Amino acid sequence: MAFARWIVIPSYGKNGPVHLMQRPVFRLVSQGAAWVAVFIILSGFVNSLKAVKLARIGQVEPALSNLAISSFRRSFRLVLPATAATILSWFITQTGAYDTAKRSNAYWLYTTSPNPSSSWGTAVEDLVHAIRTTWIYNPENPYDQPQWALLYLLQAMVGVNVFTGIVLAELNHSGYPLRFARFSPLFAPPLVICALILMSFPSQFQDWAPWSDLLLRWYWRIAPQNAELMRFWPTLGAQMLTFTVVMSPHLRRALSHRWLLWLGKISFPLYLLHGSFMRSVLAWLLFARSKLTEIEEEGHQYMRYPLPGAPTFLVVLPIFMLILLTAAHFWAIKVEPHFGTITKTAEDIMFVKGDKIPTLPVRKD
């Protein structure tokens, strides 16, 4: 998306020509809202798995205690890595390592690359402000723009998508997936395709393509009054997709491949690091041999590095992905354990082991 903003829209104009990457499913690479919904549902699913299992065998108080501890732990494991990633990006900013991205003609790169602070004292103030604004209403982190979603992930601990995850955890422990296992090859493929199409719903110019215009018209018919247009269909699609995976042993088996499990393990570090690496490493690789060129934009002249041709992208992108995945793997095995240690210490302080105080009020009669 940093180099192909046209992927966001469903076509080149109303009923105009359509690029392959603008079509449903293919355009999922640009659907941030859909993947955030999937992440939130999975958070609710993972957090409640053990609690639901305990509740189903009558261990209600241990179930509620486990749910409270899981939610507490999840909050720490969200905030601590995000803060560390902000500090990393802040330091990169102060060293001037984003200058190449700032001068490039890649819209996302130059609009999300902050300027260094005027002094180190001011830089510290700017860092504190950035960390604070990540977790307030209408969040904005000037050092790491992709962190806009983190507040919604934190708030979603009590939202509709996390409730969906809890329902799926209950479904997972029920007998229904086993009962419908033999029908999985029949119902799973169409449900997955339908879910991916719903997740592909564009965030703007929805009436430009027939498929998204149809969903738009249905939205006005069935959506609740306070629903958000850009999140309504992607959220329903994410719920449908995760439901299908829970109900289909074939999909579970396919998604349990060791390489996919590895990608899942590094997914959050990858999310936290990709913005900083794109504005530094990727910018250096793409524009290392470029010269500043005068470019006109909205009637103004700017000196920017022009976008390279397709051959350069074909060479640079695999190298960049290898660097980024290596860094994310290193973060997962070397940095994340420290956050786990801090979280465990906080848990021991907040939740005293062996505490016999009942979670729920108990009748004395």
Side-chain angles (χ1 to χ4, degrees):
M1 286 180 60
F3 310 99
R5 293 167 59 198
W6 45 266
I7 296 178
V8 177
I9 57 179
S11 68
Y12 294 109
K14 189 173 179 62
N15 296 321
V18 182
H19 190 277
L20 176 65
M21 297 304 295
Q22 293 175 322
R23 295 188 180 278
V25 183
F26 293 98
R27 60 177 291 104
L28 282 171
V29 294
S30 68
Q31 293 297 105
W35 297 118
V36 168
V38 170
F39 184 88
I40 294 172
I41 294 170
L42 293 179
S43 295
F45 178 78
V46 172
N47 282 353
S48 58
L49 264 178
K50 186 176 180 179
V52 169
K53 183 177 181 180
L54 290 171
R56 289 178 68 87
I57 60 176
Q59 300 293 320
V60 178
E61 289 186 14
L64 291 175
S65 296
N66 177 267
L67 190 59
I69 294 173
S70 296
S71 299
F72 179 85
R73 182 187 304 127
R74 197 70 175 177
S75 300
F76 266 70
R77 298 306 295 269
L78 193 66
V79 173
L80 292 177
T83 301
T86 298
I87 295 173
L88 174 64
S89 183
W90 165 82
F91 181 77
I92 294 174
T93 299
Q94 306 312 318
T95 62
Y98 289 155
D99 285 353
T100 301
K102 191 74 175 176
R103 297 185 178 188
S104 73
N105 197 36
Y107 177 81
W108 187 85
L109 292 185
Y110 72 73
T111 56
T112 62
S113 298
N115 293 314
S117 304
S118 58
S119 67
W120 280 102
T122 304
V124 172
E125 294 178 3
D126 293 340
L127 173 62
V128 173
H129 175 75
I131 294 174
R132 184 178 66 86
T133 55
T134 303
W135 307 103
I136 63 175
Y137 179 74
N138 195 21
E140 180 179 353
N141 187 326
Y143 296 110
D144 198 11
Q145 184 271 341
Q147 290 197 27
W148 67 267
L150 292 182
L151 175 64
Y152 302 106
L153 296 180
L154 186 63
Q155 291 175 332
M157 298 300 178
V158 292
V160 63
N161 278 325
V162 79
F163 177 75
T164 300
I166 296 173
V167 172
L168 291 179
E170 175 69 32
L171 182 64
N172 179 71
H173 287 299
S174 71
Y176 289 105
L178 186 61
R179 294 178 194 175
F180 287 90
R182 58 177 177 171
F183 302 110
S184 172
L186 298 178
F187 69 77
L191 284 180
V192 167
I193 293 173
C194 182
L196 295 179
I197 292 175
L198 295 181
M199 291 170 64
S200 302
F201 187 73
S203 59
Q204 52 185 305
F205 303 113
Q206 296 89 358
D207 60 339
W208 281 13
W211 69 273
S212 55
D213 185 48
L214 176 63
L215 290 177
L216 177 63
R217 285 185 273 120
W218 272 101
Y219 167 83
W220 295 120
R221 291 182 183 180
I222 67 174
Q225 184 175 0
N226 296 324
E228 281 190 72
L229 173 60
M230 66 173 291
R231 301 185 188 278
F232 181 78
W233 291 117
T235 297
L236 285 180
Q239 293 171 351
M240 182 183 295
L241 179 65
T242 49
F243 167 80
T244 307
V245 172
V246 169
M247 291 294 295
S248 172
H250 300 86
L251 284 178
R252 291 197 194 193
R253 196 175 304 117
L255 294 174
S256 298
H257 190 279
R258 62 191 183 97
W259 286 109
L260 294 178
L261 294 177
W262 174 73
L263 284 175
K265 179 181 178 180
I266 68 169
S267 60
F268 192 49
L270 192 64
Y271 169 79
L272 293 175
L273 295 176
H274 81 278
S276 297
F277 274 64
M278 287 178 65
R279 294 189 297 267
S280 55
V281 178
L282 181 59
W284 300 336
L285 292 173
L286 285 175
F287 305 108
R289 296 186 177 183
S290 301
K291 294 182 179 180
L292 290 173
T293 304
E294 188 173 303
I295 295 175
E296 183 176 349
E297 183 178 312
E298 297 180 353
H300 300 280
Q301 302 294 327
Y302 299 94
M303 297 298 293
R304 299 194 187 282
Y305 295 114
L307 295 178
T312 301
F313 277 101
L314 291 176
V315 173
V316 166
L317 288 182
I319 298 173
F320 170 71
M321 288 304 302
L322 178 62
I323 295 172
L324 179 59
L325 290 173
T326 301
H329 178 72
F330 177 83
W331 182 287
I333 63 173
K334 296 295 185 180
V335 181
E336 283 288 343
H338 295 291
F339 302 138
T341 301
I342 296 173
T343 303
K344 183 64 171 60
T345 302
E347 282 182 35
D348 292 340
I349 295 173
M350 292 295 296
F351 303 97
V352 180
K353 290 185 177 181
D355 193 349
K356 300 300 182 180
I357 299 175
T359 306
L360 296 176
V362 178
R363 292 180 60 175
K364 302 300 183 180
D365 55 355

